[in-house]
PDB file of all heavy atoms in Angstrom:
ATOM      1  N   VAL A1273       0.867  -1.155   0.021  1.00  0.00           N
ATOM      2  CA  VAL A1273       0.005   0.034  -0.068  1.00  0.00           C
ATOM      3  C   VAL A1273       0.849   1.236  -0.013  1.00  0.00           C
ATOM      4  O   VAL A1273       0.429   2.399  -0.050  1.00  0.00           O
ATOM      5  CB  VAL A1273      -0.995   0.077   1.195  1.00  0.00           C
ATOM      6  CG1 VAL A1273      -1.930  -1.062   1.062  1.00  0.00           C
ATOM      7  CG2 VAL A1273      -0.276   0.001   2.597  1.00  0.00           C
ATOM      8  N   GLN A1274       2.153   1.021   0.094  1.00  0.00           N
ATOM      9  CA  GLN A1274       3.141   2.111  -0.025  1.00  0.00           C
ATOM     10  C   GLN A1274       3.315   2.615  -1.534  1.00  0.00           C
ATOM     11  O   GLN A1274       2.939   1.928  -2.405  1.00  0.00           O
ATOM     12  CB  GLN A1274       4.506   1.645   0.350  1.00  0.00           C
ATOM     13  CG  GLN A1274       4.795   1.245   1.909  1.00  0.00           C
ATOM     14  CD  GLN A1274       6.106   0.804   2.111  1.00  0.00           C
ATOM     15  OE1 GLN A1274       6.476  -0.211   1.623  1.00  0.00           O
ATOM     16  NE2 GLN A1274       6.848   1.575   2.818  1.00  0.00           N
ATOM     17  N   SER A1275       3.973   3.731  -1.627  1.00  0.00           N
ATOM     18  CA  SER A1275       4.515   4.054  -2.819  1.00  0.00           C
ATOM     19  C   SER A1275       5.362   2.941  -3.352  1.00  0.00           C
ATOM     20  O   SER A1275       6.227   2.426  -2.555  1.00  0.00           O
ATOM     21  CB  SER A1275       5.326   5.387  -2.806  1.00  0.00           C
ATOM     22  OG  SER A1275       6.333   5.464  -3.669  1.00  0.00           O
ATOM     23  N   LEU A1276       5.416   2.667  -4.680  1.00  0.00           N
ATOM     24  CA  LEU A1276       6.350   1.681  -5.144  1.00  0.00           C
ATOM     25  C   LEU A1276       7.786   2.107  -5.002  1.00  0.00           C
ATOM     26  O   LEU A1276       8.766   1.280  -4.789  1.00  0.00           O
ATOM     27  CB  LEU A1276       6.037   1.365  -6.690  1.00  0.00           C
ATOM     28  CG  LEU A1276       5.123   0.174  -6.884  1.00  0.00           C
ATOM     29  CD1 LEU A1276       5.075  -0.202  -8.316  1.00  0.00           C
ATOM     30  CD2 LEU A1276       5.290  -0.947  -6.004  1.00  0.00           C
ATOM     31  N   THR A1277       8.033   3.284  -5.087  1.00  0.00           N
ATOM     32  CA  THR A1277       9.318   3.861  -4.875  1.00  0.00           C
ATOM     33  C   THR A1277       9.904   3.534  -3.531  1.00  0.00           C
ATOM     34  O   THR A1277      10.995   3.042  -3.268  1.00  0.00           O
ATOM     35  CB  THR A1277       9.399   5.453  -5.047  1.00  0.00           C
ATOM     36  OG1 THR A1277       8.875   5.775  -6.278  1.00  0.00           O
ATOM     37  CG2 THR A1277      10.763   6.069  -4.863  1.00  0.00           C
ATOM     38  N   ALA A1278       9.046   3.773  -2.415  1.00  0.00           N
ATOM     39  CA  ALA A1278       9.462   3.510  -1.063  1.00  0.00           C
ATOM     40  C   ALA A1278       9.667   1.979  -0.878  1.00  0.00           C
ATOM     41  O   ALA A1278      10.555   1.595  -0.331  1.00  0.00           O
ATOM     42  CB  ALA A1278       8.482   4.009  -0.139  1.00  0.00           C
ATOM     43  N   ARG A1279       8.649   1.258  -1.372  1.00  0.00           N
ATOM     44  CA  ARG A1279       8.649  -0.255  -1.256  1.00  0.00           C
ATOM     45  C   ARG A1279       9.886  -0.820  -1.923  1.00  0.00           C
ATOM     46  O   ARG A1279      10.606  -1.619  -1.311  1.00  0.00           O
ATOM     47  CB  ARG A1279       7.437  -0.833  -1.768  1.00  0.00           C
ATOM     48  CG  ARG A1279       7.368  -2.378  -1.629  1.00  0.00           C
ATOM     49  CD  ARG A1279       7.394  -2.779  -0.243  1.00  0.00           C
ATOM     50  NE  ARG A1279       7.577  -4.253  -0.012  1.00  0.00           N
ATOM     51  CZ  ARG A1279       8.762  -4.703   0.370  1.00  0.00           C
ATOM     52  NH1 ARG A1279       9.829  -3.951   0.635  1.00  0.00           N
ATOM     53  NH2 ARG A1279       8.933  -5.991   0.587  1.00  0.00           N
ATOM     54  N   PHE A1280      10.214  -0.448  -3.057  1.00  0.00           N
ATOM     55  CA  PHE A1280      11.415  -1.055  -3.817  1.00  0.00           C
ATOM     56  C   PHE A1280      12.697  -0.501  -3.131  1.00  0.00           C
ATOM     57  O   PHE A1280      13.604  -1.241  -3.040  1.00  0.00           O
ATOM     58  CB  PHE A1280      11.301  -0.625  -5.264  1.00  0.00           C
ATOM     59  CG  PHE A1280      10.452  -1.605  -5.973  1.00  0.00           C
ATOM     60  CD1 PHE A1280       9.190  -1.758  -5.783  1.00  0.00           C
ATOM     61  CD2 PHE A1280      11.041  -2.366  -7.037  1.00  0.00           C
ATOM     62  CE1 PHE A1280       8.459  -2.715  -6.492  1.00  0.00           C
ATOM     63  CE2 PHE A1280      10.271  -3.273  -7.824  1.00  0.00           C
ATOM     64  CZ  PHE A1280       8.885  -3.431  -7.584  1.00  0.00           C
ATOM     65  N   ARG A1281      12.766   0.720  -2.719  1.00  0.00           N
ATOM     66  CA  ARG A1281      14.049   1.207  -2.098  1.00  0.00           C
ATOM     67  C   ARG A1281      14.336   0.354  -0.934  1.00  0.00           C
ATOM     68  O   ARG A1281      15.398  -0.070  -0.692  1.00  0.00           O
ATOM     69  CB  ARG A1281      13.805   2.713  -1.661  1.00  0.00           C
ATOM     70  CG  ARG A1281      15.029   3.307  -1.050  1.00  0.00           C
ATOM     71  CD  ARG A1281      14.908   4.715  -0.559  1.00  0.00           C
ATOM     72  NE  ARG A1281      14.412   5.553  -1.697  1.00  0.00           N
ATOM     73  CZ  ARG A1281      13.324   6.260  -1.650  1.00  0.00           C
ATOM     74  NH1 ARG A1281      12.481   6.285  -0.589  1.00  0.00           N
ATOM     75  NH2 ARG A1281      13.000   7.071  -2.694  1.00  0.00           N
ATOM     76  N   TYR A1282      13.240   0.122  -0.093  1.00  0.00           N
ATOM     77  CA  TYR A1282      13.416  -0.731   1.117  1.00  0.00           C
ATOM     78  C   TYR A1282      13.825  -2.088   0.804  1.00  0.00           C
ATOM     79  O   TYR A1282      14.674  -2.726   1.276  1.00  0.00           O
ATOM     80  CB  TYR A1282      12.082  -0.784   1.959  1.00  0.00           C
ATOM     81  CG  TYR A1282      12.165  -1.495   3.172  1.00  0.00           C
ATOM     82  CD1 TYR A1282      12.917  -1.156   4.260  1.00  0.00           C
ATOM     83  CD2 TYR A1282      11.228  -2.655   3.391  1.00  0.00           C
ATOM     84  CE1 TYR A1282      12.957  -1.964   5.418  1.00  0.00           C
ATOM     85  CE2 TYR A1282      11.159  -3.288   4.523  1.00  0.00           C
ATOM     86  CZ  TYR A1282      12.063  -2.927   5.500  1.00  0.00           C
ATOM     87  OH  TYR A1282      12.017  -3.706   6.793  1.00  0.00           O
ATOM     88  N   GLY A1283      13.097  -2.727  -0.151  1.00  0.00           N
ATOM     89  CA  GLY A1283      13.519  -4.096  -0.504  1.00  0.00           C
ATOM     90  C   GLY A1283      14.821  -4.181  -1.318  1.00  0.00           C
ATOM     91  O   GLY A1283      15.456  -5.250  -1.081  1.00  0.00           O
ATOM     92  N   LEU A1284      15.298  -3.247  -1.962  1.00  0.00           N
ATOM     93  CA  LEU A1284      16.632  -3.274  -2.615  1.00  0.00           C
ATOM     94  C   LEU A1284      17.774  -3.066  -1.713  1.00  0.00           C
ATOM     95  O   LEU A1284      18.907  -3.484  -1.889  1.00  0.00           O
ATOM     96  CB  LEU A1284      16.625  -2.385  -3.887  1.00  0.00           C
ATOM     97  CG  LEU A1284      15.687  -2.791  -4.979  1.00  0.00           C
ATOM     98  CD1 LEU A1284      15.523  -1.690  -5.986  1.00  0.00           C
ATOM     99  CD2 LEU A1284      16.104  -4.166  -5.615  1.00  0.00           C
ATOM    100  N   LYS A1285      17.497  -2.165  -0.796  1.00  0.00           N
ATOM    101  CA  LYS A1285      18.623  -1.671   0.102  1.00  0.00           C
ATOM    102  C   LYS A1285      18.815  -2.545   1.384  1.00  0.00           C
ATOM    103  O   LYS A1285      19.932  -2.523   1.887  1.00  0.00           O
ATOM    104  CB  LYS A1285      18.286  -0.224   0.618  1.00  0.00           C
ATOM    105  CG  LYS A1285      18.405   0.765  -0.418  1.00  0.00           C
ATOM    106  CD  LYS A1285      19.813   1.164  -0.663  1.00  0.00           C
ATOM    107  CE  LYS A1285      20.013   2.345  -1.580  1.00  0.00           C
ATOM    108  NZ  LYS A1285      21.307   2.574  -1.948  1.00  0.00           N
ATOM    109  N   ALA A1286      17.773  -3.260   1.820  1.00  0.00           N
ATOM    110  CA  ALA A1286      17.899  -3.953   3.028  1.00  0.00           C
ATOM    111  C   ALA A1286      19.083  -4.964   2.969  1.00  0.00           C
ATOM    112  O   ALA A1286      19.286  -5.612   1.989  1.00  0.00           O
ATOM    113  CB  ALA A1286      16.671  -4.740   3.291  1.00  0.00           C
ATOM    114  N   ASP A1287      19.764  -4.992   3.992  1.00  0.00           N
ATOM    115  CA  ASP A1287      20.996  -5.786   4.105  1.00  0.00           C
ATOM    116  C   ASP A1287      21.084  -6.931   5.220  1.00  0.00           C
ATOM    117  O   ASP A1287      22.080  -7.538   5.410  1.00  0.00           O
ATOM    118  CB  ASP A1287      22.283  -4.990   4.100  1.00  0.00           C
ATOM    119  CG  ASP A1287      22.320  -4.213   5.423  1.00  0.00           C
ATOM    120  OD1 ASP A1287      21.482  -4.365   6.337  1.00  0.00           O
ATOM    121  OD2 ASP A1287      23.203  -3.306   5.543  1.00  0.00           O
ATOM    122  N   GLY A1288      19.958  -7.037   5.983  1.00  0.00           N
ATOM    123  CA  GLY A1288      19.756  -7.998   7.016  1.00  0.00           C
ATOM    124  C   GLY A1288      20.196  -7.396   8.347  1.00  0.00           C
ATOM    125  O   GLY A1288      20.003  -8.116   9.407  1.00  0.00           O
ATOM    126  N   SER A1289      20.813  -6.254   8.345  1.00  0.00           N
ATOM    127  CA  SER A1289      21.262  -5.561   9.668  1.00  0.00           C
ATOM    128  C   SER A1289      20.099  -5.423  10.678  1.00  0.00           C
ATOM    129  O   SER A1289      20.305  -5.340  11.880  1.00  0.00           O
ATOM    130  CB  SER A1289      22.011  -4.348   9.444  1.00  0.00           C
ATOM    131  OG  SER A1289      21.174  -3.333   8.910  1.00  0.00           O
ATOM    132  N   LYS A1290      18.827  -5.256  10.145  1.00  0.00           N
ATOM    133  CA  LYS A1290      17.669  -5.160  10.980  1.00  0.00           C
ATOM    134  C   LYS A1290      16.742  -6.299  10.831  1.00  0.00           C
ATOM    135  O   LYS A1290      15.596  -6.156  11.200  1.00  0.00           O
ATOM    136  CB  LYS A1290      16.915  -3.745  10.682  1.00  0.00           C
ATOM    137  CG  LYS A1290      17.782  -2.573  10.930  1.00  0.00           C
ATOM    138  CD  LYS A1290      17.178  -1.273  10.679  1.00  0.00           C
ATOM    139  CE  LYS A1290      18.171  -0.148  10.933  1.00  0.00           C
ATOM    140  NZ  LYS A1290      17.552   1.042  10.588  1.00  0.00           N
ATOM    141  N   GLY A1291      17.307  -7.388  10.426  1.00  0.00           N
ATOM    142  CA  GLY A1291      16.494  -8.630  10.306  1.00  0.00           C
ATOM    143  C   GLY A1291      16.027  -8.956   8.929  1.00  0.00           C
ATOM    144  O   GLY A1291      15.792 -10.104   8.614  1.00  0.00           O
ATOM    145  N   TYR A1292      15.680  -7.807   8.202  1.00  0.00           N
ATOM    146  CA  TYR A1292      15.171  -8.087   6.805  1.00  0.00           C
ATOM    147  C   TYR A1292      16.265  -7.970   5.695  1.00  0.00           C
ATOM    148  O   TYR A1292      16.901  -7.010   5.777  1.00  0.00           O
ATOM    149  CB  TYR A1292      14.051  -7.047   6.521  1.00  0.00           C
ATOM    150  CG  TYR A1292      13.517  -7.044   5.040  1.00  0.00           C
ATOM    151  CD1 TYR A1292      12.753  -8.124   4.625  1.00  0.00           C
ATOM    152  CD2 TYR A1292      13.619  -5.887   4.251  1.00  0.00           C
ATOM    153  CE1 TYR A1292      12.305  -8.107   3.339  1.00  0.00           C
ATOM    154  CE2 TYR A1292      13.006  -5.863   3.042  1.00  0.00           C
ATOM    155  CZ  TYR A1292      12.337  -7.047   2.625  1.00  0.00           C
ATOM    156  OH  TYR A1292      11.890  -7.116   1.224  1.00  0.00           O
ATOM    157  N   HIS A1293      16.401  -8.973   4.880  1.00  0.00           N
ATOM    158  CA  HIS A1293      17.434  -9.075   3.942  1.00  0.00           C
ATOM    159  C   HIS A1293      16.986  -8.503   2.536  1.00  0.00           C
ATOM    160  O   HIS A1293      17.789  -8.360   1.722  1.00  0.00           O
ATOM    161  CB  HIS A1293      17.992 -10.541   3.732  1.00  0.00           C
ATOM    162  CG  HIS A1293      18.715 -11.066   4.974  1.00  0.00           C
ATOM    163  ND1 HIS A1293      19.965 -10.861   5.063  1.00  0.00           N
ATOM    164  CD2 HIS A1293      18.114 -11.576   6.003  1.00  0.00           C
ATOM    165  CE1 HIS A1293      20.363 -11.388   6.226  1.00  0.00           C
ATOM    166  NE2 HIS A1293      19.246 -11.816   6.949  1.00  0.00           N
ATOM    167  N   GLY A1294      15.793  -8.163   2.445  1.00  0.00           N
ATOM    168  CA  GLY A1294      15.299  -7.499   1.191  1.00  0.00           C
ATOM    169  C   GLY A1294      14.946  -8.505   0.089  1.00  0.00           C
ATOM    170  O   GLY A1294      14.833  -9.788   0.368  1.00  0.00           O
ATOM    171  N   TYR A1295      14.697  -8.019  -0.983  1.00  0.00           N
ATOM    172  CA  TYR A1295      14.203  -8.859  -2.131  1.00  0.00           C
ATOM    173  C   TYR A1295      15.414  -9.747  -2.469  1.00  0.00           C
ATOM    174  O   TYR A1295      16.513  -9.397  -2.588  1.00  0.00           O
ATOM    175  CB  TYR A1295      13.885  -7.926  -3.344  1.00  0.00           C
ATOM    176  CG  TYR A1295      12.736  -7.106  -3.331  1.00  0.00           C
ATOM    177  CD1 TYR A1295      12.820  -5.805  -3.579  1.00  0.00           C
ATOM    178  CD2 TYR A1295      11.600  -7.650  -2.967  1.00  0.00           C
ATOM    179  CE1 TYR A1295      11.637  -4.976  -3.468  1.00  0.00           C
ATOM    180  CE2 TYR A1295      10.308  -6.878  -2.950  1.00  0.00           C
ATOM    181  CZ  TYR A1295      10.492  -5.546  -3.156  1.00  0.00           C
ATOM    182  OH  TYR A1295       9.282  -4.691  -3.057  1.00  0.00           O
ATOM    183  N   LYS A1296      15.059 -11.031  -2.612  1.00  0.00           N
ATOM    184  CA  LYS A1296      15.999 -12.095  -3.161  1.00  0.00           C
ATOM    185  C   LYS A1296      16.388 -11.884  -4.561  1.00  0.00           C
ATOM    186  O   LYS A1296      17.343 -12.554  -4.964  1.00  0.00           O
ATOM    187  CB  LYS A1296      15.452 -13.387  -2.766  1.00  0.00           C
ATOM    188  CG  LYS A1296      15.418 -13.660  -1.251  1.00  0.00           C
ATOM    189  CD  LYS A1296      15.183 -15.155  -0.980  1.00  0.00           C
ATOM    190  CE  LYS A1296      15.066 -15.376   0.434  1.00  0.00           C
ATOM    191  NZ  LYS A1296      15.080 -16.684   0.871  1.00  0.00           N
ATOM    192  N   TRP A1297      15.612 -11.236  -5.429  1.00  0.00           N
ATOM    193  CA  TRP A1297      15.865 -10.992  -6.639  1.00  0.00           C
ATOM    194  C   TRP A1297      16.701  -9.676  -6.959  1.00  0.00           C
ATOM    195  O   TRP A1297      17.040  -9.372  -8.127  1.00  0.00           O
ATOM    196  CB  TRP A1297      14.609 -10.972  -7.554  1.00  0.00           C
ATOM    197  CG  TRP A1297      13.630  -9.991  -7.131  1.00  0.00           C
ATOM    198  CD1 TRP A1297      12.487 -10.327  -6.261  1.00  0.00           C
ATOM    199  CD2 TRP A1297      13.452  -8.643  -7.361  1.00  0.00           C
ATOM    200  NE1 TRP A1297      11.813  -9.258  -5.957  1.00  0.00           N
ATOM    201  CE2 TRP A1297      12.339  -8.092  -6.668  1.00  0.00           C
ATOM    202  CE3 TRP A1297      14.212  -7.714  -8.125  1.00  0.00           C
ATOM    203  CZ2 TRP A1297      11.993  -6.785  -6.733  1.00  0.00           C
ATOM    204  CZ3 TRP A1297      13.799  -6.382  -8.224  1.00  0.00           C
ATOM    205  CH2 TRP A1297      12.761  -5.983  -7.548  1.00  0.00           C
ATOM    206  N   LYS A1298      17.084  -9.063  -5.970  1.00  0.00           N
ATOM    207  CA  LYS A1298      17.718  -7.657  -6.105  1.00  0.00           C
ATOM    208  C   LYS A1298      19.087  -7.662  -6.767  1.00  0.00           C
ATOM    209  O   LYS A1298      19.573  -6.652  -7.196  1.00  0.00           O
ATOM    210  CB  LYS A1298      17.815  -7.013  -4.710  1.00  0.00           C
ATOM    211  CG  LYS A1298      18.757  -7.590  -3.701  1.00  0.00           C
ATOM    212  CD  LYS A1298      18.721  -6.769  -2.412  1.00  0.00           C
ATOM    213  CE  LYS A1298      19.530  -7.423  -1.431  1.00  0.00           C
ATOM    214  NZ  LYS A1298      19.389  -6.824  -0.142  1.00  0.00           N
ATOM    215  N   ASN A1299      19.645  -8.872  -6.985  1.00  0.00           N
ATOM    216  CA  ASN A1299      20.909  -8.893  -7.621  1.00  0.00           C
ATOM    217  C   ASN A1299      20.810  -9.191  -9.123  1.00  0.00           C
ATOM    218  O   ASN A1299      21.868  -9.296  -9.894  1.00  0.00           O
ATOM    219  CB  ASN A1299      21.795  -9.966  -7.091  1.00  0.00           C
ATOM    220  CG  ASN A1299      22.290  -9.626  -5.591  1.00  0.00           C
ATOM    221  OD1 ASN A1299      22.521  -8.368  -5.414  1.00  0.00           O
ATOM    222  ND2 ASN A1299      22.302 -10.562  -4.745  1.00  0.00           N
ATOM    223  N   LYS A1300      19.631  -9.214  -9.603  1.00  0.00           N
ATOM    224  CA  LYS A1300      19.349  -9.281 -11.173  1.00  0.00           C
ATOM    225  C   LYS A1300      19.711  -8.095 -11.722  1.00  0.00           C
ATOM    226  O   LYS A1300      19.639  -7.006 -11.244  1.00  0.00           O
ATOM    227  CB  LYS A1300      17.915  -9.659 -11.356  1.00  0.00           C
ATOM    228  CG  LYS A1300      17.448 -11.012 -10.797  1.00  0.00           C
ATOM    229  CD  LYS A1300      17.988 -12.036 -11.449  1.00  0.00           C
ATOM    230  CE  LYS A1300      17.486 -13.401 -11.026  1.00  0.00           C
ATOM    231  NZ  LYS A1300      18.112 -14.496 -11.661  1.00  0.00           N
TER     232      LYS A1300
END
């Protein structure tokens, strides 16, 4: 329900430091 910009930024930037590793496809 977020802006796609915000959702994708979060999913692409996450590195696991806060528990979430982000999108698994982010290295495509």
Side-chain angles (χ1 to χ4, degrees):
V1273 294
Q1274 295 178 290
S1275 153
L1276 271 191
T1277 304
R1279 179 65 192 102
F1280 275 60
R1281 183 181 305 120
Y1282 181 61
L1284 293 171
K1285 291 280 188 188
D1287 60 7
S1289 62
K1290 296 182 181 176
Y1292 176 59
H1293 292 269
Y1295 291 127
K1296 291 187 177 194
W1297 52 266
K1298 68 184 176 183
N1299 294 322
K1300 298 291 183 181

